[in-house]
Amino acid sequence: MINSHLILVSGPSRSGKSRWSEQLISTMLEVTYIATGAVANDDKSWQLRLDEHKKRRPAHWKLIECTTNLPNIISELGQQENILLDSLGGFVLHRMNDDTNTWNDSQFKLISALESRNTKTIVVIEQVGWGVVPVTMSGNIFKDRLGQLSQLLELKASESWLVVQGRAINLKKISIE
């Protein structure tokens, strides 16, 4: 069943997904920004990217940084709060050590939590596999899980955007299922 409040924004790295998502939700007064890409190392370039995101966000937006407990965090938010979830890659990364059954349980809990929302909910999803295909088992697990989750959520979303080179394309309007 399609949730009229669920909007997906996907695209490759550095395509403008986050900026487009921020624009889509910019007219909402109550916004909770859920960030899944917390820095766990000394990667200065990653920290600079996070700083860019922080500078663009309006001061009145609430921020939640989360790793593995994403479905519960979404379920516990009030129904008046609009959500910008940036991004599912962080959620998948934090669940990489899950066995297949645990992963499936986690992704279906996430989908259920997102489906239950009655306010605008924008989910940013990285598109991987457009360039170099991972040669490691962990890289392929990440790619496959993210791709599977993306396809499952697309079936539930009222809007699905692909952002490439800073341009947003409405996939629901120009594509064939």
Side-chain angles (χ1 to χ4, degrees):
M1 176 179 214
I2 292 181
N3 178 322
S4 62
H5 304 287
L6 181 60
I7 299 169
L8 303 182
V9 177
S10 66
S13 178
R14 305 298 276 179
S15 63
K17 299 179 298 294
S18 296
R19 282 191 317 275
W20 179 248
S21 299
E22 292 160 6
Q23 183 175 330
L24 289 174
I25 205 164
S26 64
T27 60
M28 301 291 118
L29 294 177
E30 294 196 38
V31 176
T32 298
Y33 185 100
I34 302 175
T36 64
V39 174
N41 58 37
D42 295 331
D43 187 342
K44 290 186 188 336
S45 65
W46 182 248
Q47 187 60 52
L48 288 173
R49 290 175 71 175
L50 294 179
D51 291 344
E52 285 177 28
H53 284 234
K54 288 177 186 176
K55 288 177 190 172
R56 288 196 313 254
R57 285 196 298 265
H60 69 277
W61 285 9
K62 182 173 146 186
L63 171 64
I64 298 174
E65 293 179 334
C66 117
T67 54
T68 59
N69 206 17
L70 184 57
N72 290 345
I73 287 171
I74 292 169
S75 296
E76 292 169 2
L77 287 173
Q79 283 294 337
Q80 76 283 0
E81 294 181 69
N82 300 284
I83 296 174
L84 196 168
L85 168 57
D86 194 357
S87 68
L88 285 184
F91 171 71
V92 172
L93 181 64
H94 295 298
R95 310 288 325 181
M96 286 294 292
N97 292 325
D98 290 353
D99 61 42
T100 301
N101 290 333
T102 304
W103 162 249
N104 286 334
D105 184 53
S106 295
Q107 76 174 336
F108 288 119
K109 283 181 181 174
L110 175 62
I111 291 168
S112 177
L114 291 168
E115 274 185 301
S116 72
R117 301 295 306 164
N118 293 321
T119 53
K120 187 174 271 194
T121 303
I122 299 176
V123 178
V124 178
I125 307 170
E126 300 87 339
Q127 289 291 325
V128 294
W130 285 32
V132 177
V133 176
V135 294
T136 63
M137 183 172 23
S138 62
N140 279 303
I141 290 170
F142 178 83
K143 174 184 58 76
D144 291 346
R145 287 181 175 181
L146 190 60
Q148 176 189 35
L149 182 55
S150 176
Q151 288 187 47
L152 291 171
L153 281 171
E154 203 286 328
L155 297 172
K156 310 290 183 181
S158 63
E159 295 180 40
S160 185
W161 294 90
L162 173 65
V163 181
V164 180
Q165 298 173 347
R167 302 267 184 185
I169 303 163
N170 186 329
L171 293 176
K172 295 274 189 180
K173 289 194 175 181
I174 66 166
S175 64
I176 300 171
E177 191 174 333

